[in-house]
């Protein structure tokens, strides 16, 4: 998950659900900004790997029309930012990346293996045994020229409104970006886990993401109890 900040003249926008008609514009925004700018993606230059881009697009498209995801739209109809959300359930924990025989063949896979490890470390349902349905913030991306204008906060707040309406007891986010983590904290989220990129190594003891640029130095898991 990634979001950056910049101070520019604010532009009015509205937060609306993503529909079938928006899929291509949303994907264009994600490909131009998130796939390029997200700290882990940037560190391994994922945007240069055809296989990883295909996997990323497939991954994102799963959340476009689930009724949980939103986009920020300017007065002229431009997509300014996107939040892709999903439902996490206690009884849905199977993941190919946890298979001991799984072999990574792309940077996308390397990132997913890291995220699987984090979920195992966190043991979310062990920490919160009374929580069984959670809104997971899978991806937050704000177009570069609109960062620092409250778009990220508005996307989070809209997602929170929906989570409350649906009766979820928690929101969950894995924040790979320093700026996204700060935005979550400002929205009331609490950090329950942190892993420094310099401490994450593969089975050979090699640092996997050794080119992540400051101020992004760790990935944080943040939750908001509703």
């Amino acid at each position: 998950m990634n979001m950056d900040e910049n101070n520019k003249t604010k532009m009015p926008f509205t937060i609306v659900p993503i529909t079938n008609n928006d899929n291509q514009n949303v994907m264009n925004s994600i490909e131009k900004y998130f796939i390029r700018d997200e700290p882990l993606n940037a560190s391994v230059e994922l945007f240069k790997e055809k296989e990883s881009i295909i996997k990323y697009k497939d991954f994102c498209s799963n959340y476009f029309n689930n009724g949980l995801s939103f986009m920020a739209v300017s007065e002229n109809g431009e997509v300014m930012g996107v939040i892709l959300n999903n439902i996490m359930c206690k009884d849905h924990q199977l993941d190919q990346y946890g298979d001991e025989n799984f072999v990574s063949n792309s940077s996308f896979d390397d990132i997913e293996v890291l995220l699987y490890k984090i979920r195992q470390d966190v043991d979310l349902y062990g920490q919160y045994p009374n929580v069984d349905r959670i809104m997971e913030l899978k991806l937050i991306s704000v177009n570069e020229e609109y960062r620092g204008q409250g778009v990220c906060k508005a996307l989070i707040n809209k997602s929170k409104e929906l989570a409350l309406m649906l009766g979820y007891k928690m929101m969950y986010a894995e924040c790979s970006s320093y700026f996204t983590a700060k935005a979550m904290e400002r929205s009331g989220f609490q950090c329950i886990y942190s892993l420094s990129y310099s401490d994450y190594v593969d089975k050979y003891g090699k640092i996997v993401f050794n080119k992540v640029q400051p101020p992004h130095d760790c990935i944080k898991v943040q939750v908001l109890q509703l």
Side-chain angles (χ1 to χ4, degrees):
M1 181 180 306
N2 179 56
M3 192 279 299
D4 207 339
E5 294 182 327
N6 203 349
N7 293 319
K8 296 182 179 180
T9 302
K10 290 188 176 182
M11 292 185 61
F13 60 87
T14 55
I15 306 296
V16 298
I18 296 172
T19 68
N20 285 324
N21 293 333
D22 307 311
N23 288 0
Q24 190 57 56
N25 287 335
V26 170
M27 185 63 79
N28 290 344
S29 177
I30 290 172
E31 186 173 6
K32 183 176 180 180
Y33 298 102
F34 186 86
I35 293 180
R36 183 198 68 186
D37 294 344
E38 188 276 330
L40 295 179
N41 294 348
S43 73
V44 295
E45 296 187 319
L46 180 145
F47 49 87
K48 293 183 178 180
E49 294 183 12
K50 183 178 180 179
E51 178 68 19
S52 287
I53 291 178
I54 291 172
K55 289 184 175 182
Y56 235 118
K57 287 183 175 182
D58 288 343
F59 164 82
C60 292
S61 64
N62 290 328
Y63 309 108
F64 282 175
N65 308 123
N66 60 6
L68 301 173
S69 301
F70 299 95
M71 61 181 182
V73 184
S74 69
E75 290 182 323
N76 64 4
E78 180 184 3
V79 176
M80 297 171 62
V82 175
I83 187 165
L84 302 184
N85 299 319
N86 188 40
I87 302 172
M88 293 174 64
C89 299
K90 184 178 292 187
D91 56 351
H92 293 162
Q93 299 186 59
L94 298 178
D95 196 314
Q96 63 171 320
Y97 299 104
D99 187 333
E100 62 181 14
N101 296 316
F102 175 78
V103 177
S104 171
N105 58 19
S106 69
S107 294
F108 178 88
D109 290 339
D110 291 338
I111 294 172
E112 289 298 309
V113 169
L114 165 62
L115 297 180
Y116 178 83
K117 169 191 164 42
I118 287 171
R119 294 191 181 205
Q120 294 299 106
D121 290 349
V122 169
D123 184 20
L124 189 62
Y125 299 110
Q127 288 197 56
Y128 303 95
N130 296 323
V131 175
D132 57 357
R133 290 174 67 82
I134 299 168
M135 176 174 281
E136 179 185 14
L137 282 59
K138 298 291 293 187
L139 179 154
I140 303 177
S141 178
V142 177
N143 295 14
E144 186 173 8
E145 59 266 38
Y146 301 123
R147 293 170 187 167
Q149 300 191 29
V151 175
C152 181
K153 181 179 180 180
L155 289 167
I156 295 171
N157 286 344
K158 190 67 174 181
S159 300
K160 180 181 177 181
E161 288 178 14
L162 180 59
L164 286 168
M165 185 181 74
L166 295 174
Y168 298 159
K169 295 181 179 180
M170 178 177 286
M171 298 177 72
Y172 171 98
E174 295 156 354
C175 303
S176 59
S177 161
Y178 170 88
F179 298 116
T180 305
K182 288 295 183 183
M184 292 295 175
E185 291 169 8
R186 289 192 292 268
S187 295
F189 282 69
Q190 293 184 326
C191 179
I192 61 170
Y193 175 92
S194 177
L195 176 63
S196 171
Y197 294 129
S198 62
D199 290 337
Y200 177 65
V201 297
D202 61 19
K203 61 183 179 181
Y204 304 108
K206 179 181 177 181
I207 297 175
V208 179
F209 303 105
N210 60 354
K211 296 182 180 180
V212 180
Q213 296 299 306
H216 315 292
D217 59 358
C218 66
I219 186 167
K220 293 183 176 182
V221 173
Q222 297 189 318
V223 300
L224 176 67
Q225 296 190 67
L226 303 173

